[in-house]
Amino acid sequence: MIKTKMHSLRNIWAPFVFGSAALLAACSEEQTASSPPSASAALPAAMETASSPASSGPDLGINPRGETELEIDMSQIHNQDLAQVFDYIDTNIDQHVVNLQRWIQQPSISNTGEGIQESAYMVEGFFDQLGCQETQVYDVGITEWGQQGNPVVYANCDEGAEKTVVVYWMYDTMPITQPDLWMAPPFEARIVEQPPFDKVIIGRGANNSKGRQMAFWNAMMSIKAVTGTLPVNLIFVAEGDEERMSIGYRKFVRDHPELFEDADIMWGSGSSEGCVFVELITSGESWGRGPTYSNIHGGRKRAVDAPAWRHIQMLSTLVDETGNRVLIDGFYDDIVPLTEEEERILQEAAEDYDVEVAAERLGVARFISDDPYEVVKMSRAGTSMNLDGIWGGNMFEGGSGAILPNRIVSKHNFRYVPNQDGMEIVGLLRTHLDEHGYEDVEINVVGDVPWAKMDEDNDLARAVRSMRETFGSGTDEPVLEETILGGYWPAYLFAGDVFDIPIASGQVGGGGGSHAANEYFIVEGAGNTYGMAGMEKSIANVIYNYAGLNEPGAASDD
């Protein structure tokens, strides 16, 4: 059942304030960028209309415009409410940045479980604070691959509007694997200079995906502060398993389709490649050679077989000597060639693609190919088998300590495209291992996210294109043919698996370093890149466009 609540926030999960005209301020003027206000500082007051916003919140000295050279064409903002929302965002940008800092400061690592329960209730607090009538943290139970799913947070915000948008969120992040490489502690959310940007936030989850999601929340809160209502109804679904193949989200949507029956469209990243994630496990016990119960002294290798060497030899049969071509029989058989339209899209994307600059920004020495088109094609329509990690025995860098491991585990993600199938790939992998004499190697399926095709022939995608023209950020030709030329995310559940509705989203600004050290989100923009205020305005603009409230001659709701 759904529990209905009206702003009944748990004290520790409702830290955000939002402009003194709308919510009680609770932040000291003495707070600094590197030390945001306490996360338990305040509860929201009743939502009120704020046509002339004034902020008495934190003073971080954020310049909403930054050094951005682009201009918003205000002649295309036809609704005066939307213009007031833009002003409200500028006035309260310091508080909006603090909101993001506080969220980053709450760890939410799905692979270890650190902070997951706390984060779920924190997100529920966001939705309560937005005024959603129905909110709930769901325990999804055991998923189909045998693991406990992390909580899914659901909210229904009925604004009495004509259109209803499902908004996809993920609140989980990757673990910190290289803490010594960070310029600031990953959960401090410190604001630093990172040329060409005067201010970015460094922190785990800053770019993937708390920054964009907090910008969406800040934008919706700003609209409510100015007008008292939202232009569309919103259904939020926030998962805590995106970095675990969305195993809990998959079960939740399939178990509760009734919660999304009123949805017209989804705010999400559009199409998606496919990805299946497995662990390969070699052990002395299963092999019948080497240590069977635990690691033993490494000096014993002189007379004892090593499961670790067997595991390495097994891995060498799966890919060629470059590591770039999969050697599993049948892996490539079902791939459908790219269409002429897809080839056109990739060629267009490659025209201004600087391979060297892109490699430097990504933090790699070079790409597999030096041809821009090939790099773009591999990145958006390629397949791969990756070695994501391997462990066993002495895992401490430096020093010594002779160990002969009894068990070796390696993690692998297969990226796949139409018409490949994730579970068929797992079956081909099993056959390959058996035929090469590795019947004892265990395959543990972590999860599978099938590919999903999508086009841009829908009202939300058109609203995004209109926004980009208004913000001067450039627009490509719309993709009117269904394709998978997007990134990775669990689009499939709303693209044919349970529901089949249009999916689109878009904003300006952003960040970088997802899954890497020094992940960042741009606070103050520069050059042709907007900062956080610009992103929030662009999201508000899209929502107004989609609702049909920013047409020429549009008036405010007053």
Side-chain angles (χ1 to χ4, degrees), residues 15-38:
F16 298 152
V17 295
F18 221 85
S20 59
L23 300 172
L24 291 177
C27 304
S28 168
E29 295 287 345
E30 299 176 356
Q31 300 295 344
T32 65
S34 61
S35 179
S38 167

Side-chain angles (χ1 to χ4, degrees), residues 263-276:
D264 299 306
I265 206 162
M266 181 175 230
W267 182 277
S269 298
S271 60
S272 172
E273 64 193 353
C275 180
V276 62

Side-chain angles (χ1 to χ4, degrees), residues 153-177:
V153 188
Y154 170 85
N156 190 331
C157 312
D158 185 352
E159 302 288 331
E162 293 183 4
K163 298 180 178 181
T164 300
V165 181
V166 178
V167 181
Y168 169 82
W169 274 20
M170 55 175 281
Y171 64 84
D172 64 315
T173 72
M174 286 291 288
I176 308 302
T177 56

Side-chain angles (χ1 to χ4, degrees), residues 47 80 112 309 325 343 354-355 377 443 459 474 481 544:
M47 194 71 67
Q80 287 304 304
T112 66
W309 284 124
R325 181 167 180 81
E343 292 280 5
D354 190 314
V355 173
K377 183 177 179 180
I443 302 175
D459 289 343
E481 175 183 294
Y544 267 78

Side-chain angles (χ1 to χ4, degrees), residues 310 314 317 327 329 431-439:
R310 176 173 173 77
M314 175 270 296
T317 72
L327 298 180
D329 286 344
T431 298
H432 174 95
L433 294 177
D434 292 350
E435 289 179 349
H436 285 74
Y438 296 103
E439 298 93 337

Side-chain angles (χ1 to χ4, degrees), residues 230-251:
L230 298 176
V232 297
N233 308 313
L234 297 178
I235 299 173
F236 286 95
V237 56
E239 69 159 317
D241 279 316
E242 199 276 346
E243 304 295 359
R244 295 203 308 163
M245 304 302 294
S246 298
I247 55 176
Y249 175 64
R250 175 186 177 110
K251 185 174 187 295

Side-chain angles (χ1 to χ4, degrees), residues 451-466:
W451 49 264
K453 288 187 174 184
M454 192 60 56
D455 61 41
E456 296 178 353
D457 188 16
N458 62 74
D459 289 343
L460 187 53
R462 283 185 280 273
V464 171
R465 288 181 56 78
S466 177

